[in-house]
Amino acid sequence: MSTTKTMGAGPGAAPAVRRLGGLRVASLRDLALVPAIAAIMIVGYLVNPVFLHWENLVNVLQQQSEISLLVLAEALVLICGRMDLSLESTFGLAPGVAALLVLAPGLTNGLGWFPGGWSIPLTLAVGVLIGALNGLLIVKFRLNGFIVTLGMLIVLRGLLTGITGGKTFFNLPSSFLYLGNALWLGLPASIWICLALYAVAILVTGHTRFGRSLYAIGGNADAARAAGIRVDRVLWITLIVAGLLAALGGLLLTGRLASVAAAQGSGAIFTVFAAAVIGGVSLNGGRGTIFGAFTGILLLYLIQNVLTLAGVPAQWIGALNGAIILVALMLARITSGQAQE
């Protein structure tokens, strides 16, 4: 009996209880937006019964699946206490570079250096390269992540405008378009890809050492380093994965639209941050969940769809996104009691 008491009262017992309690609270927070999503579904039906038609819901899921990968990428970066503003430009430049390299010369300024089958690996490789470059500047050169990725956003946007000549790449090979317009088991492939990647990210962040390292670094990088976590390595991997996810999201959009526009992804970062914040991901790092981020972007796209069906002009939808993120920040400040710096 004495042994049992010692084990129960040992130094690790209380923290274990707190961890279990924290997991329960986190699970409740994950579901915080579910009632709001249900309410929007009801409002959408009242505004226009077409809202609940299967074709409309699939259309919403397909459109949000592309930006959802940007939200997933940003959520991972935010959890470890950093920001990546360049994701929206990666979203456009990665498929743009691939289009430049696979299109035949004379066809929308293509170079024709690679066959069409290389479209997907080239797009993903560009995303990895951009993420690695961000990691080099932020992790190795110790530059401010916000300024680095802001500058990268501008550079990448300029590169996309330059290689497209301000126009749109079209007549893309079928292999380039496959993931964006294919149907798997009756649903667009992009929906399955999005759900699969979110499931993997939820498992990784919630049940692996790497996922715990992300939260530890976001909470206190110095303490994480003192605990033996290879902070630089984790940050670099996270930035590379973020670039890869952004490139994949751009590839899905390119496939759906069968083109790469010079402005692809422009302004998307505002929607991405709005979704992450209302989904409970902290801008200070160390808090938030991938499931919460997913519900955030789903809620935003459902709201946009309701407003569209109600005949609200698109420019007001953009204003709403800005209002949502401001209100969400204020609510987060009030409920957490912590200043967001």
Side-chain angles (χ1 to χ4, degrees), residues 4-307:
T4 304
K5 288 181 180 179
T6 302
M7 291 175 63
V17 172
R18 284 197 293 269
R19 283 198 296 271
L20 290 174
L23 287 174
R24 282 195 286 269
V25 172
S27 297
L28 292 176
R29 288 172 182 165
D30 282 353
L31 302 175
L33 290 183
V34 173
I37 291 174
I40 289 298
M41 300 285 281
I42 296 173
V43 171
Y45 177 76
L46 295 176
V47 169
N48 193 328
V50 172
F51 176 78
L52 289 183
H53 285 189
W54 175 250
E55 293 79 6
N56 181 64
L57 293 178
V58 170
N59 182 56
V60 172
L61 288 174
Q62 184 177 21
Q63 291 183 15
Q64 69 95 32
S65 65
E66 299 143 4
I67 300 297
S68 287
L69 296 186
L70 284 183
V71 176
L72 174 56
E74 193 66 67
L76 293 172
V77 176
L78 287 173
I79 286 172
C80 65
R82 300 296 189 275
M83 292 185 183
D84 189 346
L85 302 178
S86 67
L87 292 174
E88 72 163 42
S89 293
T90 305
F91 187 79
L93 181 65
V97 170
L100 175 72
L101 296 177
V102 302
L103 287 174
L107 186 62
T108 58
N109 300 322
L111 297 176
W113 290 356
F114 293 88
W118 282 81
S119 303
I120 294 177
L122 283 172
T123 301
L124 300 181
V126 172
V128 168
L129 181 62
I130 293 171
L133 182 56
N134 282 334
L136 176 67
L137 297 175
I138 295 171
V139 177
K140 291 300 181 182
F141 285 88
R142 305 294 179 186
L143 302 180
N144 181 278
F146 180 88
I147 301 302
V148 165
T149 57
L150 176 61
M152 192 66 73
L153 180 152
I154 298 170
V155 170
L156 300 181
R157 178 63 54 196
L159 286 175
L160 179 59
T161 302
I163 65 175
T164 61
K167 300 177 182 178
T168 299
F169 283 126
F170 55 90
N171 290 332
L172 300 174
S174 58
S175 58
F176 208 152
L177 310 180
Y178 175 73
L179 292 180
N181 61 24
L183 290 179
W184 295 349
L185 302 177
L187 287 176
S190 57
I191 295 178
W192 292 114
I193 293 171
C194 174
L195 293 177
L197 289 174
Y198 266 87
V200 170
I202 289 171
L203 290 174
V204 169
T205 55
H207 303 282
T208 69
R209 180 179 297 179
F210 184 84
R212 291 190 291 271
S213 297
L214 290 179
Y215 286 98
I217 294 170
N220 189 322
D222 291 333
R225 189 174 284 107
I229 295 175
R230 302 177 67 175
V231 174
D232 289 355
R233 181 180 180 182
V234 172
L235 288 176
W236 208 331
I237 291 174
T238 302
L239 290 168
I240 290 174
V241 169
L244 177 63
L245 289 170
L248 179 57
L251 180 65
L252 297 180
L253 179 63
T254 296
R256 180 167 64 86
L257 300 181
S259 63
V260 182
Q264 179 162 308
S266 181
I269 199 66
F270 301 111
T271 300
V272 168
F273 271 105
V277 170
I278 68 174
V281 179
S282 173
L283 297 179
N284 293 329
R287 294 194 305 277
T289 65
I290 300 303
F291 182 81
F294 179 78
T295 58
I297 188 62
L298 179 59
L299 178 63
L300 280 183
Y301 266 77
L302 288 173
I303 292 174
Q304 291 180 12
N305 187 249
V306 171
L307 294 175

